[in-house]
Amino acid sequence: MDIISDVINKVESRAGSGRVLRDEPMKNHTSFRIGGKVRAVFLPSTAEEFGYIAGLCENAGIKYVVMGNGTNILFSDEPKDMVVIK
């Protein structure tokens, strides 16, 4: 199992965690409706969950992007080996 999959599994198994969307096209999350797949989009439901997810990513050396509603942001149409915290 790779590092990103390990982090995804940890977040999914944590009780009370927000949703995780695996292999998610970023076009579903941007106002311009463009963007290829990322390994996961994390949708934490609390600030504590956000901190937990960001901490896991940082400790594992995983590239991640924090985004809001997805307006005025562009993602490449190419798949990316990264995660997004929304």
Side-chain angles (χ1 to χ4, degrees):
M1 182 180 308
D2 67 317
I3 295 171
I4 293 177
S5 294
D6 186 43
V7 168
I8 292 169
N9 290 335
K10 285 179 183 178
V11 172
E12 286 180 328
S13 67
R14 184 175 174 175
S17 65
R19 295 184 317 148
V20 177
L21 307 173
R22 290 176 178 249
D23 297 317
E24 181 69 7
M26 289 309 299
K27 69 181 182 180
N28 296 341
H29 302 276
T30 64
S31 62
F32 293 113
R33 298 292 179 222
I34 61 172
K37 290 183 181 181
V38 295
R39 292 286 299 276
V41 174
F42 295 112
L43 303 165
S45 57
T46 66
E48 179 184 70
E49 288 175 10
F50 171 83
Y52 174 73
I53 294 166
L56 285 175
C57 290
E58 288 185 18
N59 289 337
I62 296 171
K63 181 178 176 183
Y64 69 96
V65 170
V66 177
M67 69 179 281
N69 290 328
T71 54
N72 298 324
I73 188 169
L74 299 173
F75 281 90
S76 167
D77 284 333
E78 298 297 316
K80 298 290 181 202
D81 199 28
M82 61 181 285
V83 300
V84 173
I85 305 173
K86 183 176 177 186

